């Protein structure tokens, strides 16, 4: 593991690595072999308080730092992350189980891109505008409490910290307990950049203790949370009680709608790749595939063929495309959903709950495709967060819209058609924050966030920056 080696039994608060006030620790396990790869302190409310006080003390100075200088620090942070890319990827593979090729690509590449995008935005953003006889100032909100999940552990941190710093806010991060090591690597990179003490702070710990203390802290002005809808609801209630600004990036059950004239082979192939990436642990994954009823059998056959390319394996092998799930808890959860799908009458065409041959250790699950799924089934309604696809038939376009919009979620989605304008017209009818047309590629500057119970607020690009700003109007 190199970088850690048990060195960091500490938390990064007020510009230095200091021991936690309590003695509790969290063991970090490698999901591929269940071996301990590190230990971090389990922070308490007192640690959170120390971090928030440091962030509060640093806020006036950082808020008054010219945007161009904040931009320069973010550019330096991007470079530090890029220089540590191999360590970042190795760490994410060790604690999350992401295949090394995916860890070296998306998992470490996206945060470098996002950090760079905020360096550029901070440099050219106008933090002032003129409206009639008013000058409107865009001022930083204050101290940010960021609570992040394990599925894209560095990206989720950077997608909050970079815009917060660009805006002039100071930050306390509480990373997921399954993946705190890459958060420590991030703190190392921040330290190397030489940000003023207290501008960025890291408190490791479990959600109901450190996370809750951060969300509740009276001196936190904005809580930004990514994770489950269940925890998001609680954090929203706590933040609401304190009249804090709130951003929630929650679950999804996104639809991949294949219109009758689409290239079925391509749409199904890309759809399978989308769902199985990161072992299905992606909030924006297209976990429901909607296919015209008269092409249903053909689509299921194509899905079976495409799924055969995803064989679970050792995440350290560069050829592996599908690693284990993050934890035993997540494995239980995913298997539970697969059982539920069978019990409710769906048909497994690939995968299932049997153990993966040759992989007795580790939290591996078979990538699974369900056919004969109806929209009301649990596996078509709830977020599973594993490599499990539900294929549903639809009768006509209106039926497809009804099914696509028929969950409590609305995070992402896809539409495929031979005619781009037809696909775009269909996309306008979807109640969701993003839609990829004919496999349109990820845009790190486009706003990302949910309709309905998928969340509040937007991350990335200028819309992500706006979350961390508040306005003051001066009338002349
Ligand atoms: P979670 O919501 O429990 O955890 C996310 C973060 O919130 C972690 O840092 C955790 O420590 C913290 N947290 C937990 N309880 C808290 C509390 N009471 N107060 C404050 N912070 C708290 O998610 P999980 O257990 O890691 O995963 C469970 C499910 O959540 C997954 O199966 C998946 O459906 C969903 N999930 C979604 C995303 C996403 O990106 N939308 C990411 C991870 C998980």
């Amino acid at each position: 593991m190199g970088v850690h080696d048990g060195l960091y039994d500490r938390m990064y608060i007020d510009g230095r690595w200091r021991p936690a006030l309590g003695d509790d620790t969290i063991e970090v396990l490698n999901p591929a072999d269940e071996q301990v790869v590190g230990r971090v302190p389990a922070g308490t409310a007192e640690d959170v308080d120390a971090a928030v006080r440091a962030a509060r003390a640093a806020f006036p100075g950082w808020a008054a730092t010219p945007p161009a200088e904040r931009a320069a620090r973010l550019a330096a942070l991007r470079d530090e992350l890029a220089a540590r890319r191999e360590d970042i990827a190795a760490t994410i593979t060790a604690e999350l189980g992401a295949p090394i090729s995916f860890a070296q690509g998306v998992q470490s590449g996206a945060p470098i891109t996002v950090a760079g995008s905020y360096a550029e935005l901070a440099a050219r953003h106008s933090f002032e505008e003129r409206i009639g006889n008013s000058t409107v100032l865009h001022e930083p909100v204050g101290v940010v409490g960021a609570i992040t999940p394990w599925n894209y552990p560095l990206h989720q941190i950077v997608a909050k910290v970079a815009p917060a710093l660009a805006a002039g806010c100071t930050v306390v991060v509480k990373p997921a307990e399954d993946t705190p090591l890459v958060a420590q690597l991030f703190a190392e990179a921040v330290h190397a950049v030489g940000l003023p003490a207290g501008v960025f702070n890291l408190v490791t710990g479990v959600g109901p203790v450190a996370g809750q203390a951060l969300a509740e802290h009276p001196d936190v002005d904005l809580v930004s949370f990514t994770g489950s809808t269940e925890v998001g609801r609680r954090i929203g209630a706590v933040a609401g009680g304190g009249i804090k600004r709130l951003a929630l990036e929650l679950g999804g059950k996104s639809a991949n709608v294949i219109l009758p004239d689409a290239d079925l082979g391509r749409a199904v192939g890309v759809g399978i790749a989308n769902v199985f990436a990161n072992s299905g642990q992606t909030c924006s994954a297209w976990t429901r595939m909607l296919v015209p009823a008269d092409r249903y059998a053909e689509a299921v056959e194509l899905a079976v063929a495409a799924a055969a390319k995803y064989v679970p394996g050792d995440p350290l092998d560069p050829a592996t495309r599908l690693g284990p799930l993050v934890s035993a808890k997540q494995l239980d959860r995913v298997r539970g959903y697969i059982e539920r799908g069978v019990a409710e009458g769906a048909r497994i065409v690939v995968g299932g709950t049997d153990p993966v041959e040759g992989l007795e250790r580790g939290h591996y699950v078979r990538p699974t495709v369900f056919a004969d799924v109806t929209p009301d089934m649990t596996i078509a309604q709830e977020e599973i967060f594993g490599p499990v696809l539900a294929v549903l038939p639809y009768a006509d376009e209106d039926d497809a819209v009804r099914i696509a919009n028929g969950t409590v979620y609305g995070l992402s989605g896809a539409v495929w058609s031979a005619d781009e304008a037809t696909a775009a017209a269909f996309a306008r009818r979807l109640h969701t924050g993003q839609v990829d047309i004919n496999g349109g590629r990820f845009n790190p500057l486009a706003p990302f966030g949910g309709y309905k119970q998928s969340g509040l607020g937007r991350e990335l690009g200028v819309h992500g920056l706006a979350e961390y700003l508040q306005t003051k109007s001066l009338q002349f």
Side-chain angles (χ1 to χ4, degrees):
M1 274 291 301
V3 284
H4 290 288
D5 293 333
L7 200 65
Y8 294 137
D9 54 347
R10 289 154 191 256
M11 298 191 286
Y12 189 72
I13 296 177
D14 205 15
R16 64 194 176 92
W17 290 96
R18 40 156 277 190
L21 294 169
D23 297 326
D24 288 352
T25 57
I26 296 170
E27 265 187 355
V28 185
L29 301 179
N30 183 332
D33 60 13
E34 301 170 52
Q35 298 300 300
V36 176
V37 291
R39 261 183 205 88
V40 300
T44 59
E46 289 74 36
D47 297 302
V48 168
D49 185 54
V52 172
R53 276 190 282 118
R56 174 56 61 195
F59 176 61
W62 185 245
T65 301
E69 201 178 318
R70 298 201 298 257
R73 299 299 177 97
L74 282 166
L77 181 59
R78 173 204 54 211
D79 295 346
E80 281 293 334
L81 294 175
R84 289 158 205 263
R85 191 167 179 156
E86 286 302 313
D87 275 348
I88 289 169
T91 304
I92 292 177
T93 293
E95 62 184 353
L96 174 65
I100 189 69
S101 50
F102 192 72
Q104 286 165 339
V106 173
Q107 287 279 8
S108 52
I112 295 168
T113 302
V114 171
S117 76
Y118 280 108
E120 283 165 29
L121 265 170
R124 63 179 159 79
H125 190 73
S126 174
F127 290 87
E128 249 184 69
E129 65 183 310
R130 188 85 193 168
I131 301 180
N133 65 317
S134 303
T135 295
V136 179
L137 310 179
H138 296 228
E139 298 187 333
V141 169
V143 174
V144 172
I147 301 172
T148 58
W150 42 261
N151 60 336
Y152 290 82
L154 184 60
H155 171 71
Q156 312 280 17
I157 290 172
V158 173
K160 299 186 191 309
V161 174
L165 298 185
C169 293
T170 56
V171 190
V172 178
V173 170
K174 205 302 283 174
E177 41 273 61
D178 300 276
T179 55
L181 301 179
V182 75
Q184 292 187 328
L185 258 183
F186 179 74
E188 267 195 341
V190 168
H191 189 72
V193 166
L195 284 178
V199 168
F200 170 83
N201 307 274
L202 175 72
V203 177
T204 50
V206 300
V209 180
Q212 178 130 353
L214 186 57
E216 281 175 352
H217 200 291
D219 228 8
V220 167
D221 301 297
L222 184 159
V223 182
S224 179
F225 168 80
T226 299
S228 61
T229 297
E230 185 193 339
V231 174
R233 210 185 299 281
R234 291 167 65 173
I235 288 178
V238 168
I243 324 287
K244 295 177 195 298
R245 289 272 294 264
L246 178 67
L248 298 174
E249 206 273 273
L250 308 174
K253 192 73 194 177
S254 297
N256 178 11
V257 183
I258 305 176
L259 294 176
D261 63 349
D263 175 345
L264 193 61
R266 179 149 182 269
V268 170
V270 175
I272 286 279
N274 176 286
V275 175
F276 291 172
N278 211 37
S279 294
Q281 302 166 128
T282 303
C283 49
S284 56
W286 310 331
T287 48
R288 297 179 296 148
M289 185 180 283
L290 274 54
V291 186
D294 60 0
R295 301 190 75 182
Y296 190 73
E298 192 190 342
V300 169
E301 226 170 86
L302 287 165
V304 170
K309 293 185 218 138
Y310 293 82
V311 181
D314 178 1
L316 283 172
D317 180 344
T320 296
R321 298 169 96 175
L322 195 83
L325 297 170
V326 68
S327 62
K329 179 180 140 199
Q330 199 62 19
L331 178 61
D332 277 353
R333 180 186 154 94
V334 172
R335 286 212 177 120
Y337 273 113
I338 296 173
E339 283 165 7
R340 188 92 177 255
V342 173
E344 291 180 12
R347 174 169 57 99
I348 291 179
V349 290
V350 175
T353 54
D354 288 346
V356 181
E357 275 156 38
L359 293 171
E360 280 69 36
R361 291 176 78 88
H363 311 306
Y364 290 96
V365 67
R366 289 172 185 267
T368 297
V369 176
F370 275 108
D372 300 346
V373 180
T374 56
D376 56 326
M377 286 180 184
T378 306
I379 56 165
Q381 288 292 325
E382 295 186 13
E383 183 174 56
I384 297 173
F385 236 57
V388 181
L389 173 70
V391 189
L392 296 96
Y394 68 81
D396 56 27
E397 227 176 80
D398 286 346
D399 191 33
V401 171
R402 230 179 350 257
I403 296 169
N405 289 338
T407 76
V408 296
Y409 294 115
L411 188 55
S412 184
V415 183
W416 301 81
S417 166
D419 177 37
E420 206 167 83
T422 302
F426 188 91
R428 285 176 186 272
R429 302 178 68 190
L430 297 179
H431 304 158
T432 189
Q434 286 215 346
V435 184
D436 295 344
I437 307 289
N438 288 337
R441 70 179 194 285
F442 178 69
N443 176 359
L445 295 176
F448 181 91
Y451 279 34
K452 301 189 279 182
Q453 290 184 28
S454 286
L456 296 173
R458 294 292 179 268
E459 295 199 313
L460 306 180
V462 71
H463 292 267
L465 181 63
E467 293 290 324
Y468 297 92
L469 294 166
Q470 58 190 343
T471 56
K472 179 189 288 170
S473 304
L474 311 181
Q475 284 62 245
F476 293 90

